[in-house]
């Protein structure tokens, strides 16, 4: 992931705090995870990832993968990982969260926009928002509470070592949720919602104001 909104700098800064006194953790940072052509996938990152890793003395605790991965490659990485760190400043949906859940990789994501619904109720762990800022087109973006992310990493680390049952509950809950997100099920829910609108069962009166 090489979009600025994925907040890669926050991943490195908070991982450095979490990993400071641990010899059994490792961060795989994937900067180019898709072959789809999109302006945001080929843009240059606005910070020096390798410089940040050197600054935090993380070169032996992190590997930067800078290559295009297909669906199978992404799935292999998720299946060998304990968690996905996803401190995004905001998402429209968050497909990577569902991909991780399908591979029983526990997501740790910002408690904002769609991510709140995708990750709540044992489907993953949520990161508290510390502040909000305005981005391009006046879109409100979330700034994570870095201590919250460190705390969630510590919590999952302890579960992984000492509470296999609860750790598995997070894995299974996320997996079951993501498994139900199919085109067929989505079509059924959309059709039901449209039928309610057509039959005027769920109409909300709105006052429109000219801009």
């Amino acid at each position: 992931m090489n979009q600025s909104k994925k907040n890669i700098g926050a991943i490195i800064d908070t991982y450095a705090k979490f990993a400071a006194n641990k010899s059994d953790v490792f961060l795989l940072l994937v900067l180019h995870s898709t072959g789809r052509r999109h302006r945001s996938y080929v843009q240059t990152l606005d910070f020096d990832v390798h410089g940040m890793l050197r600054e935090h003395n993380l070169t032996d605790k992190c590997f930067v993968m800078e290559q295009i991965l297909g669906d199978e490659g992404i799935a292999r990485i998720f299946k060998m990982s304990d968690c996905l760190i996803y401190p995004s400043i905001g998402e429209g949906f968050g497909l990577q969260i569902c991909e991780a859940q399908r591979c029983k990789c526990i997501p740790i994501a910002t408690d904002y926009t769609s991510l709140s619904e995708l990750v709540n109720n044992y489907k993953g762990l949520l990161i508290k928002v510390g502040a909000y800022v305005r981005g391009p087109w006046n879109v409100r973006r979330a700034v994570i509470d870095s201590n919250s992310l460190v705390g969630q990493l510590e919590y999952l680390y302890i579960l992984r070592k000492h509470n296999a049952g609860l750790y598995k509950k997070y894995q299974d809950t996320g997996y079951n949720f993501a498994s139900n997100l199919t085109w067929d099920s989505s079509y059924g829910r959309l059709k039901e919602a449209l039928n309610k609108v057509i039959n005027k069962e769920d109409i909300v009166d709105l006052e429109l104001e000219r801009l």
Side-chain angles (χ1 to χ4, degrees), residues 168-186:
K168 187 175 184 299
K169 179 177 180 177
Y170 278 100
Q171 287 182 310
D172 292 344
T173 304
Y175 175 82
N176 292 334
F177 169 75
S179 297
N180 289 323
L181 295 178
T182 64
W183 285 114
D184 289 340
S185 64
S186 298

Side-chain angles (χ1 to χ4, degrees), residues 180-200:
N180 289 323
L181 295 178
T182 64
W183 285 114
D184 289 340
S185 64
S186 298
Y187 167 76
R189 290 195 295 270
L190 178 59
K191 182 179 179 181
E192 180 181 355
L194 290 175
N195 283 333
K196 286 184 177 181
V197 173
I198 293 171
N199 296 324
K200 299 182 179 181

Side-chain angles (χ1 to χ4, degrees), residues 5-23:
K5 73 175 184 177
K6 304 304 184 187
N7 216 353
I8 297 170
I11 294 175
I12 296 174
D13 288 341
T14 52
Y15 173 73
K17 295 178 183 178
F18 164 72
N21 59 348
K22 299 176 180 64
S23 59

Side-chain angles (χ1 to χ4, degrees), residues 11 16 29 34 42-43 60-61 63 75 78 81 115 122 129 134 148 162 164 178 181 183 190 197:
I11 294 175
L29 199 57
T34 176
V42 296
Q43 70 184 16
D60 61 338
K61 290 185 177 181
F63 179 77
F78 280 143
S81 301
L115 302 179
Y122 292 99
V129 175
R134 288 289 181 179
S148 175
H162 305 295
L181 295 178
W183 285 114
L190 178 59
V197 173

Side-chain angles (χ1 to χ4, degrees), residues 196-211:
K196 286 184 177 181
V197 173
I198 293 171
N199 296 324
K200 299 182 179 181
E201 296 177 12
D202 194 19
I203 298 295
V204 178
D205 291 328
L206 298 176
E207 291 187 7
L208 301 181
E209 180 180 349
R210 183 180 297 276
L211 297 177

Side-chain angles (χ1 to χ4, degrees), residues 54-145:
R54 290 192 297 270
E55 175 188 342
H56 289 299
N57 295 317
L58 287 175
T59 52
D60 61 338
K61 290 185 177 181
C62 177
F63 179 77
V64 179
M65 181 175 289
E66 300 179 81
Q67 66 186 68
I68 302 297
L69 296 176
D71 292 340
E72 291 183 2
I74 295 172
R76 282 198 297 270
I77 289 175
F78 280 143
K79 287 177 180 178
M80 71 180 189
S81 301
D82 293 317
C83 71
L84 167 66
I85 306 174
Y86 206 83
S88 174
I89 63 177
E91 293 289 330
F93 179 66
L95 181 60
Q96 292 87 355
I97 296 292
C98 300
E99 291 174 335
Q101 290 168 327
R102 279 284 292 170
C103 297
K104 295 197 173 183
C105 174
I106 300 172
I108 303 176
T110 309
D111 189 4
Y112 187 54
T113 59
S114 60
L115 302 179
S116 300
E117 182 178 350
L118 293 177
V119 180
N120 66 357
N121 297 329
Y122 292 99
K123 299 191 293 286
L125 298 171
L126 289 168
I127 308 164
K128 292 179 181 178
V129 175
Y132 297 97
V133 296
R134 288 289 181 179
W137 302 290
N138 292 332
V139 175
R140 193 171 75 156
R141 297 300 192 182
V143 179
I144 67 161
D145 179 339

